[in-house]
Every structure is written in C-alpha cells, then in structure tokens.
Amino acid sequence: QSTGCQRQTACQQAGCLETAVEIYKGDLLSGCYQDWCLFERERLQFLLLACLDKLMEYCEKQQDFEGWFTYGERVLRYDRAQERTHSRLMRLYYLAGDRTGALRQFERCKSALREDLDVEPGEATKQLYELIRQDILPQEQHGIEPPLFSSAESAALKTICTRLDTFQKTLGRLHTHLQEDLQLLERTMRRQ
C-alpha cells in the first residue's frame, strides 16, 4: 500500500474506534447484579478499554498529545491500576515537555498499584521513570504508521460500529417507551 493509503486507512479505523467509544455511555445496567449482566458488563468494559488502548496507540503515532492524554485518562477512570497506560502517559508528558507531569504520573501509578493490587510498578516502568528523572529519555521518531487493524479486522470493526449504532438507537427508543409507561403508571396509581 502507498503511504497515503496507509495513513487514510489508519485514520478511518481510528474513526470507527472513536465511534465505538462514543457509543459507550456507561456500564450496562449498572444497578443490575445478575450473573449474566455482570459478565456482559465486564466484557463490554474490556472492549472499551481495548478500543481506548488502540486509540492511544494511534494518537501516539500521530503525536496527538491531547487525544493521547484524553484516552489515557479515560482508561484510568475504569482501571486506575492499568500500569501500561500510566507508562504511556509518563512518556506523553515527557514528550510534551512536561517532565514534572511525567514524574507525578509515576507516583500516581505507584500509588494505584499499591492500593489496588498491593504490588510495585514493574521494571520497565521503573526504568522509564529513571530515564525521565535523569532527563535522558530519547525523543522518539515516528514514521508512517501502519493501519491499526488488518483489512479483515477493519471490515469487522465497521460492521460492529454499525451494529452498535443501531443498538444505541434501539436502547434510546426503549428507554423513551419505558419512561412513558412509568409516567402513565404513576398517573394511574395517583387516581386510585
């Protein structure tokens, strides 16, 4: 593929991922604790985190620091002990010229890992911290990025995004009908 096609494909794939992430408005049936619901909620949350991770990867290659930071912070809202995301954010801060922010991100990582999992950061994260602390982390050069997914995965992603969009619209209609039915029930009960 030519460089222009690769860039366009990666951009289209990132657009599909952004659509999927936008559709995710919150945990599935957050008040329900049935086994089937807990499983689905966890599965959907895992898919959200995977999409956010791919978007971080895309933003990193594009040197889109704002997008990279936004997606990273969203990952940490769902899983604050996600060490890989903390490491990426450390690099982001450093590459954006905020060494202090990078060092603070390491402290947030260390604290989250200790409080949530009772572990210390891994060696790779500690080495990254030392490079940043000593102000010797090399500036990375980014070439043209390959697509985020293969063509088969990209086609599947488009299909999934279309289904998710349809599902979201259906849920919206169901929510509206449910609210109308509940209001009717309340009015009926008041007349009794």
Side-chain angles (χ1 to χ4, degrees), residues 76-89:
L76 295 178
R77 276 195 303 257
Y78 282 96
D79 182 3
R80 69 186 207 112
Q82 185 72 256
E83 186 173 353
R84 177 180 173 173
T85 301
H86 281 288
S87 293
R88 286 175 139 178
L89 288 172

Side-chain angles (χ1 to χ4, degrees), residues 14-188:
C16 285
L17 289 172
E18 287 171 347
T19 299
V21 165
E22 286 174 22
I23 289 172
Y24 193 99
K25 299 293 184 200
D27 291 338
L28 175 70
L29 301 172
S30 60
C32 180
Y33 298 101
Q34 299 293 320
D35 287 342
W36 69 268
C37 187
L38 293 172
F39 174 77
E40 278 303 304
R41 186 180 305 142
E42 189 173 300
R43 188 178 70 80
L44 291 171
Q45 201 174 79
F46 174 80
L47 290 172
L48 171 70
L49 293 175
C51 287
L52 290 168
D53 189 62
K54 281 288 188 183
L55 285 167
M56 281 184 71
E57 180 181 316
Y58 175 75
C59 289
E60 178 180 1
K61 290 176 181 173
Q62 297 296 312
Q63 295 186 340
D64 174 3
F65 294 142
E66 185 177 328
W68 191 2
F69 181 77
T70 300
Y71 295 129
E73 287 298 313
R74 189 158 176 197
V75 167
L76 295 178
R77 276 195 303 257
Y78 282 96
D79 182 3
R80 69 186 207 112
Q82 185 72 256
E83 186 173 353
R84 177 180 173 173
T85 301
H86 281 288
S87 293
R88 286 175 139 178
L89 288 172
M90 288 167 60
R91 282 189 26 251
L92 163 66
Y93 278 119
Y94 186 81
L95 294 173
D98 185 359
R99 184 170 156 258
T100 303
L103 296 172
R104 285 186 180 131
Q105 188 67 46
F106 176 77
E107 293 303 322
R108 284 191 288 274
C109 174
K110 201 163 98 172
S111 175
L113 289 172
R114 189 178 311 117
E115 291 170 16
D116 291 5
L117 303 173
D118 197 26
V119 298
E120 291 295 315
E123 283 307 310
T125 305
K126 289 178 184 176
Q127 289 173 1
L128 176 62
Y129 168 76
E130 279 304 314
L131 291 173
I132 292 170
R133 192 180 66 74
Q134 296 173 28
D135 203 13
I136 57 173
L137 182 68
Q139 295 291 325
E140 298 173 18
Q141 300 299 317
H142 296 284
I144 300 302
E145 73 283 346
L148 297 172
F149 301 100
S150 69
S151 58
E153 291 169 329
S154 183
L157 182 61
K158 287 179 186 176
T159 301
I160 290 167
C161 284
T162 301
R163 286 183 191 160
L164 286 172
D165 188 46
T166 302
F167 184 62
Q168 181 185 28
K169 289 175 183 171
T170 302
L171 281 177
R173 287 192 300 273
L174 286 172
H175 184 264
T176 300
H177 291 306
L178 179 62
Q179 292 300 320
E180 291 169 355
D181 289 347
L182 288 172
Q183 289 172 357
L184 178 62
L185 179 63
E186 286 175 0
R187 286 193 300 269
T188 303

